[in-house]
Amino acid sequence: MKIFKLLTLFLFLFSFCSSYAEQEKLEQKITKNLRCLVCQGQSVHDSDTEFANSVKLLVKKKLNEGLTEKKIYDYLKDKYGEWILFDPKFNKKTYFLWLLPILLFVIGGLLIFKLFIIRKN
Amino acid sequence: MASLIGFYSLVFGICSSVAIIIFSIQNFRNPKKLNEKILILTFLQFFLVTISFLGLIISFVNSDFSNETVFNHSHTTKPLFYKISGSWGNHEGSLLLWLLVLTLFIFLFILKSGKQPTQYRILTLLFQEIIIIGFFIFLLKTSSPFNYIYPIPEEGLGLNPILQDPSLAIHPPILYFGYVGTSIIFSSSLSAMVVNYISKEWAKHIKVWVLISWIFLTLGILLGSIWAYYELGWGGFWFWDPVENVSLMPWFALTTLIHCILVLEKRLELTSWVIILSITTFTLSMSGTFLVRSGILNSVHTFANDPERGLFILIFLFTLIFLSLFVFFFFHKKETNNKSSFFLVSKETSIILNNWFMMYFLSVVLVGTTYPIFLDVISSDKISIGPPFYHKLIIPFLIPFLLAMTIGPRLKWIKSDLSDKFILIIFFIISLLLSLYIVKTLKIDFLINSILISFVFYLFFITLRDFFNKKYNNLSQNIAHFGFSLFLLSIIFNNILSSEVITNLKVGDTFKSEKLKIYFENITQKNEKNFESFVGEFVVENSQGDVFIMKPELRIYNQPNIATSEAYIRTSLFSDKFMTMNLVQNQEYFNVRYQIKPLMIWIWISVLMITLGGLMSIIKKNEN
Amino acid sequence: MKIRVIPIITTIFFIIIFILFYRGLENSNIYVPKTNINKQIPTFNAKLYNSSEEVSSSKIFKDNQFYLMNIWSSWCVPCRDEHGFLKELSDEKNLKLIGLNYKDNKESANKFLNELGNPYDIIFSDPKGIIAIDWGAYGVPETYLIKNKMIIKKTIGPLDKNSIMEIKEIIK
């Protein structure tokens, strides 16, 4: 029974699912990746400050001009510094950032292997 | 007057703590039974801090502006409820609350641990007193809530409007219960190490404290998220903001501890690991306090930044870390019974897998939160680390984690074969097909997402089925795991299916799209005691032809003079409709944001279910 | 011997963390983009404030001349405070003041200028705030000192006594 309810629930949900225009989706993705400089905890998308609203317009304009996502990031990075991007690029400043958790994961795995699997034999 | 009493109770409080330490040392040398004076003194200590806290609350209620804290954070026009909650809605008051919970918990611990060895109890108390005295000094020296100002101001500066909210009023106390609970675990594990009492009995006894802290921490985080959802006005509930991360890290550590303490309880294995986790959990709670209070982090939630305070907590934090390192390396005896071992397919293995992944998630959050600070110090490059980073590193690892979570609880201790393989496979195929169907309908082109969905469904179905299967009678665990699968499902579908419209409208305007019509009918003004409010009335019509009215609100608070926007939310079982409006400088129109957020309520419900699992586990333990 | 290695490494690790946090305490937690930039000014087309004529920036900014580009708006309170300093600077002979009227409406902007005086030689209007982003601004007011199409000094927030002294020093 419950599974039935669940299925109806999902069918119901699909009717909600609006088919966004591709550009609108991309706009959202970009503005969510930008950090607002005025209220510094929020993304440009979530913020309603004058600055954020202008950036939203700017992103729309640049996309219409045919710029790619990466070009827009580069443009804003040039104006405001790398800080404005929420998704730090993989470069020599961020090697550790991206690799440290994975490295710890591998070390953890090796430790577990050494302590529990080998001990058995 | 109340401030004065409050201040002197604090001074007497610290005296009683010193007295406790002296008696405890005496008692520790001669540990036949617990000196009754100690119990009385811990009560006295708690009592004095309570008086002090009440003193602060009374000062707030009476709007006694000769008290600096009251002056900075209250105003005569505030409703009584926010006068009271304002007393812990600031740095000084919240630290006093910390201290209050600390003294309460150690009193309860001494009261309830009668069956444990005396030396262990006394030593736990001693370690806890170190923390308590640290907080006393911190309060009295750098952040006294009872500073006197003269001349006495006529009126206070008021409370930040976003803190004038019921859920944020109870959010700090609940979160602190969680944080402080971890301090008991910390002291207790250090003391158990010194007196060599790491045993199955200890595990059984400390598990209650682990569960209690975990429940409060979970609820605290939940309240914070709910608050963010309806108060911050952008419809999100989790932003991987440093301050949020800081509460999530001890949660990861505690959740790991809950699982691996089972192994200690049942099999006396993993002792070192349990101790390391106990220490880590508390260290993370304290680091959280440090990171938030020192203002070292850049976050939405800003607190008064005072470098002196930051320095004090930093030194205090590292004193505790080095103390625990010292105790760990000098007193801890390695487990000796190396003969017993695990088999590859057993409950232990699945718990170790859980621990492994939980630690990974923890390290992602830890690295992500602290990396910008370190990078800034080392190279003065400033970067931001936001949601994409966490999503990229966490989501792929959720998949094996979910699998271990599905299969693990069905395994037996030591050695096990998977029974009812058939059903497991059937359910897996069902989940796979269902997720394929969903992925196809929704046109999600992201491989990881589709795999993730099938594994979440897998956990969902298996745990759902286990409710009707008497063979697996661990109801509390099943509820928690089911809750977790529901939680992930709600979040995933919420993410995928959310839709949003942002537009500028003035009264009389209509926004039209294929799916939606929004008509801005009118705006009405109301004057409340502590704010002026503008309520917009919007008529929304969706493609199914449903018509409903949304009334988002703008508030201009008088003290301090800040405008906030209050979201209007229509909640239903399937989805929330969320609307906010914002002022635009120098324009007649308002910036209107309308969102459809599916399954929102299920996110909250599922977290409550997870908590319920923990609660049932405590009840079950008491019955045994 | 092996047992001693782990405690030492752990201790050193935590000491390093301590030092990093300690040093981190000194840094401000609010991000401000670098102000000592030496950057080419952006090129843009914008409507002039007093007419609907659209002008390219390349025609305005000439070489060998100092320009002060000021982003302002009538709704911005600090702009009011700095206005006196701008008027003081407008007396300087070898400095041209250029205003960028940020997200404003004409009426209140006119009222603002009538009330406080107009120090600008040219005013552009930026109704959407997009030109301000071209300049790397994120709030009002912001001020840029320009020579040879390069930004040589940038002030975030209102000008004050010190900053106009510095500007005067540079353009001498």
Side-chain angles (χ1 to χ4, degrees):
Chain A
M1 252 333 264
K2 283 205 174 169
I3 293 171
F4 262 118
K5 273 189 192 162
L6 215 86
L7 279 174
T8 42
L9 190 143
F10 284 120
L11 288 175
F12 186 79
L13 281 175
F14 295 147
S15 61
F16 266 114
C17 175
S18 49
S19 57
Y20 271 104
E22 281 304 304
Q23 178 174 339
E24 215 166 303
K25 247 183 184 168
L26 189 60
E27 256 174 65
Q28 271 203 22
K29 191 185 162 214
I30 294 173
T31 48
K32 278 185 178 165
N33 262 343
L34 297 173
R35 189 165 181 176
C36 176
L37 274 97
V38 180
C39 38
Q40 303 206 333
Q42 282 183 318
S43 74
V44 163
H45 181 83
D46 298 329
S47 174
D48 288 302
T49 55
E50 296 296 331
F51 171 71
N53 287 336
S54 295
V55 175
K56 279 177 221 166
L57 285 174
L58 178 98
V59 169
K60 187 176 265 185
K61 191 181 134 208
K62 294 271 168 191
L63 282 173
N64 288 337
E65 284 169 13
L67 265 74
T68 59
E69 187 183 345
K70 196 179 165 294
K71 280 268 169 59
I72 294 176
Y73 290 148
D74 287 343
Y75 169 82
L76 286 163
K77 207 168 86 182
D78 177 54
K79 304 290 176 202
Y80 297 101
E82 212 171 339
W83 189 89
I84 197 168
L85 302 180
F86 262 131
D87 190 6
K89 290 281 153 316
F90 188 72
N91 58 30
K92 70 175 193 296
K93 280 180 222 161
T94 55
Y95 283 152
F96 265 108
L97 172 68
W98 289 98
L99 294 180
L100 199 61
I102 308 233
L103 197 70
L104 288 174
F105 183 75
V106 173
I107 292 174
L110 289 176
L111 263 178
I112 290 170
F113 191 73
K114 188 179 158 241
L115 290 180
F116 300 107
I117 312 292
I118 297 197
R119 203 175 71 188
K120 203 178 96 187
N121 303 326
Chain B
M1 188 58 196
S3 301
L4 213 61
I5 293 174
F7 180 76
Y8 283 106
S9 324
L10 269 188
V11 176
F12 286 125
I14 195 169
C15 297
S16 70
S17 311
V18 175
I20 292 174
I21 290 189
I22 294 167
F23 280 112
S24 302
I25 292 172
Q26 273 176 7
N27 201 180
F28 187 71
R29 290 200 183 119
N30 185 16
K32 274 194 190 111
K33 69 187 230 313
L34 190 81
N35 191 341
E36 291 215 334
K37 278 182 203 144
I38 290 180
L39 184 64
I40 295 166
L41 275 170
T42 39
F43 177 73
L44 183 70
Q45 177 186 259
F46 165 60
F47 180 73
L48 286 168
V49 179
T50 312
I51 295 290
S52 168
F53 192 63
L54 286 177
L56 184 64
I57 290 180
I58 289 169
S59 307
F60 264 89
V61 171
N62 292 340
S63 296
D64 170 12
F65 297 124
S66 67
N67 179 322
E68 195 184 347
T69 314
V70 181
F71 166 69
N72 281 328
H73 301 282
S74 192
H75 192 271
T76 44
T77 59
K78 295 278 168 267
L80 182 65
F81 182 68
Y82 296 121
K83 279 183 184 163
I84 296 174
S85 75
S87 58
W88 59 79
N90 58 74
H91 171 78
E92 293 83 4
S94 70
L95 277 175
L96 188 57
L97 182 65
W98 245 97
L99 186 66
L100 179 69
V101 184
L102 266 171
T103 51
L104 169 68
F105 271 25
I106 191 59
F107 172 64
L108 289 178
F109 177 85
I110 293 292
L111 202 65
K112 290 276 175 189
S113 62
K115 287 181 198 146
Q116 308 301 322
T118 317
Q119 271 197 320
Y120 157 76
R121 291 169 73 195
I122 296 170
L123 204 57
T124 307
L125 176 63
L126 268 172
F127 281 120
Q128 195 70 9
E129 284 305 317
I130 294 175
I131 301 170
I132 290 175
I133 288 190
F135 268 90
F136 264 121
I137 296 173
F138 185 38
L139 260 174
L140 290 171
K141 195 169 172 299
T142 68
S143 17
S144 166
F146 302 108
N147 283 341
Y148 187 71
I149 32 176
Y150 189 83
I152 300 169
E154 289 282 303
E155 194 46 280
L157 299 178
L159 179 66
N160 187 346
I162 62 167
L163 300 181
Q164 297 183 33
D165 179 273
S167 74
L168 208 66
I170 50 169
H171 162 72
I174 292 196
L175 201 60
Y176 289 176
F177 273 102
Y179 280 161
V180 174
T182 65
S183 77
I184 296 275
I185 303 165
F186 170 82
S187 306
S188 145
S189 67
L190 288 190
S191 125
M193 247 191 302
V194 176
V195 299
N196 205 4
Y197 178 56
I198 303 282
S199 58
K200 290 183 181 179
E201 291 75 39
W202 177 75
K204 211 171 254 165
H205 142 82
I206 203 64
K207 206 175 121 190
V208 181
W209 287 96
V210 176
L211 282 167
I212 289 175
S213 328
W214 181 82
I215 289 170
F216 279 113
L217 196 57
T218 317
L219 285 177
I221 296 174
L222 175 69
L223 276 173
S225 303
I226 294 178
W227 170 78
Y229 172 61
Y230 69 71
E231 184 68 34
L232 294 184
W234 42 273
F237 60 96
W238 190 264
F239 197 65
W240 299 102
D241 182 82
V243 170
E244 297 169 345
N245 290 347
V246 141
S247 64
L248 188 64
M249 287 190 277
W251 188 86
F252 276 138
L254 262 181
T255 314
T256 320
L257 188 57
I258 286 182
H259 289 90
C260 80
I261 210 155
L262 287 174
V263 183
L264 180 62
E265 188 186 347
K266 293 271 164 21
R267 301 224 31 225
L268 202 59
E269 285 275 357
L270 301 179
T271 47
S272 315
W273 182 228
V274 167
I275 291 162
I276 292 173
L277 270 179
S278 312
I279 295 170
T280 312
T281 307
F282 177 62
T283 311
L284 287 171
S285 305
M286 278 290 291
S287 318
T289 318
F290 163 70
L291 291 170
V292 174
R293 299 285 161 195
S294 62
I296 199 171
L297 287 173
N298 186 331
S299 135
V300 227
H301 319 249
T302 39
F303 289 87
N305 305 337
D306 182 345
E308 197 197 346
R309 287 171 183 171
L311 190 61
F312 185 96
I313 312 181
L314 184 65
I315 291 172
F316 185 40
L317 169 65
F318 276 82
T319 313
L320 291 175
I321 290 178
F322 286 116
L323 173 76
S324 51
L325 282 181
F326 172 79
V327 173
F328 182 76
F329 286 124
F330 283 86
F331 288 96
H332 179 56
K333 306 201 172 40
K334 286 267 144 52
E335 44 244 82
T336 43
N337 53 341
N338 268 359
K339 273 169 265 163
S340 69
S341 59
F342 303 166
F343 287 85
L344 207 51
V345 184
S346 68
K347 203 168 212 141
E348 293 91 320
T349 323
S350 76
I351 287 179
I352 288 170
L353 265 183
N354 153 294
N355 282 208
W356 183 24
F357 279 94
M358 287 301 265
M359 283 298 111
Y360 169 72
F361 299 143
L362 173 61
S363 67
V364 171
V365 179
L366 186 62
V367 170
T369 312
T370 52
Y371 194 81
I373 301 173
F374 295 156
L375 187 70
D376 191 13
V377 171
I378 292 167
S379 70
S380 57
D381 285 310
K382 293 181 199 307
I383 59 164
S384 301
I385 294 171
F389 169 79
Y390 298 101
H391 293 168
K392 277 181 196 161
L393 283 183
I394 287 179
I395 290 173
F397 286 82
L398 270 177
I399 293 162
F401 179 73
L402 282 168
L403 193 63
M405 205 167 162
T406 319
I407 311 271
R410 321 174 66 80
L411 300 173
K412 299 190 185 70
W413 296 100
I414 303 173
K415 188 176 183 181
S416 168
D417 289 314
L418 267 181
S419 49
D420 52 9
K421 283 197 190 78
F422 177 70
I423 295 204
L424 283 176
I425 292 168
I426 288 284
F427 271 110
F428 187 67
I429 292 169
I430 293 177
S431 330
L432 211 59
L433 289 176
L434 186 59
S435 67
L436 275 179
Y437 170 69
I438 290 170
V439 167
K440 222 170 160 272
T441 339
L442 296 181
K443 299 192 182 74
I444 309 165
D445 39 68
F446 200 39
L447 181 68
I448 297 242
N449 261 342
S450 47
I451 303 173
L452 182 65
I453 293 172
S454 49
F455 278 89
V456 181
F457 269 127
Y458 191 37
L459 178 63
F460 181 78
F461 287 137
I462 295 286
T463 41
L464 192 66
R465 181 179 161 271
D466 284 352
F467 283 122
F468 309 100
N469 191 338
K470 293 229 168 72
K471 217 167 105 197
Y472 305 103
N473 55 358
N474 194 343
L475 192 59
S476 53
Q477 169 219 294
N478 204 31
I479 287 183
H481 284 196
F482 176 73
F484 184 71
S485 72
L486 193 62
F487 174 69
L488 282 186
L489 277 180
S490 323
I491 287 189
I492 292 170
F493 286 107
N494 178 268
N495 249 324
I496 299 173
L497 300 173
S498 284
S499 60
E500 175 174 31
V501 167
I502 303 177
T503 179
N504 291 328
L505 293 177
K506 44 177 187 285
V507 178
D509 278 359
T510 308
F511 168 87
K512 250 189 208 152
S513 77
E514 301 155 48
K515 300 266 164 194
L516 207 65
K517 220 165 82 180
I518 302 173
Y519 171 62
F520 192 167
E521 196 161 83
N522 64 35
I523 193 159
T524 46
Q525 190 188 349
K526 270 191 306 193
N527 280 317
E528 300 281 334
K529 195 176 165 199
N530 52 336
F531 58 85
E532 206 177 333
S533 118
F534 298 87
V535 182
E537 209 173 302
F538 294 83
V539 182
V540 181
E541 189 181 339
N542 66 13
S543 52
Q544 279 102 11
D546 302 326
V547 181
F548 41 85
I549 290 169
M550 304 287 282
K551 292 178 177 171
E553 185 183 348
L554 270 175
R555 286 183 184 172
I556 318 271
Y557 280 83
N558 51 9
Q559 279 302 328
N561 197 324
I562 294 177
T564 67
S565 108
E566 304 287 310
Y568 186 81
I569 305 172
R570 293 178 85 94
T571 302
S572 75
L573 272 185
F574 299 114
S575 78
D576 277 15
K577 297 175 185 71
F578 182 103
M579 189 185 261
T580 52
M581 62 178 196
N582 276 290
L583 279 172
V584 181
Q585 283 296 352
N586 234 336
Q587 301 291 348
E588 302 166 20
Y589 53 76
F590 293 89
N591 188 276
V592 177
R593 186 185 285 247
Y594 175 73
Q595 288 174 294
I596 296 171
K597 312 224 59 145
L599 300 176
M600 257 344 262
I601 197 166
W602 292 98
I603 298 177
W604 317 136
I605 291 177
S606 59
V607 175
L608 283 177
M609 272 179 103
I610 297 174
T611 327
L612 182 70
L615 199 64
M616 287 178 63
S617 181
I618 295 183
I619 294 166
K620 200 171 69 189
K621 255 187 73 75
N622 277 350
E623 279 172 0
N624 286 348
Chain C
M1 214 31 222
K2 198 192 155 212
I3 310 160
R4 293 284 151 226
V5 174
I6 296 172
I8 289 169
I9 292 176
T10 336
T11 315
I12 291 173
F13 172 76
F14 278 108
I15 290 174
I16 292 172
I17 299 282
F18 177 82
I19 293 169
L20 287 176
F21 272 136
Y22 178 72
R23 297 278 307 279
L25 273 178
E26 294 160 10
N27 294 340
S28 157
N29 67 347
I30 291 166
Y31 176 71
V32 178
K34 289 190 179 109
T35 47
N36 55 345
I37 37 162
N38 235 336
K39 233 188 227 170
Q40 190 100 35
I41 57 166
T43 47
F44 57 91
N45 292 317
K47 277 192 179 140
L48 286 178
Y49 177 75
N50 285 320
S51 62
S52 54
E53 187 190 351
E54 205 170 90
V55 181
S56 161
S57 64
S58 54
K59 284 186 183 158
I60 303 288
F61 294 100
K62 306 246 160 53
D63 286 351
N64 294 321
Q65 160 80 41
F66 283 104
Y67 294 92
L68 193 73
M69 162 94 168
N70 174 253
I71 302 176
W72 66 282
S73 187
S74 63
W75 48 262
C76 129
V77 183
C79 295
R80 230 162 244 280
D81 300 338
E82 71 165 9
H83 210 78
F85 295 115
L86 284 172
K87 281 175 75 185
E88 197 181 323
L89 284 172
S90 66
D91 297 337
E92 296 284 326
K93 288 206 179 71
N94 49 349
L95 181 70
K96 273 198 170 165
L97 259 69
I98 296 175
L100 185 68
N101 188 216
Y102 180 78
K103 289 190 159 186
D104 212 342
N105 74 14
K106 198 94 185 232
E107 265 173 58
S108 36
N110 276 334
K111 219 173 108 192
F112 182 89
L113 290 180
N114 288 337
E115 192 184 319
L116 299 167
N118 183 357
Y120 305 107
D121 297 296
I122 303 168
I123 304 176
F124 289 111
S125 55
D126 183 16
K128 287 183 174 168
I130 288 180
I131 298 167
I133 294 175
D134 258 340
W135 284 81
Y138 64 95
V140 261
E142 284 194 25
T143 310
Y144 304 81
L145 185 62
I146 299 142
K147 193 187 185 187
N148 293 339
K149 299 203 169 74
M150 298 291 270
I151 299 171
I152 48 180
K153 185 180 156 54
K154 173 177 173 184
T155 313
I156 297 171
L159 296 168
D160 52 27
K161 255 192 189 138
N162 289 331
S163 48
I164 65 159
M165 285 294 278
E166 279 170 43
I167 289 168
K168 281 181 178 169
E169 200 61 32
I170 296 171
I171 60 174
K172 241 170 207 169

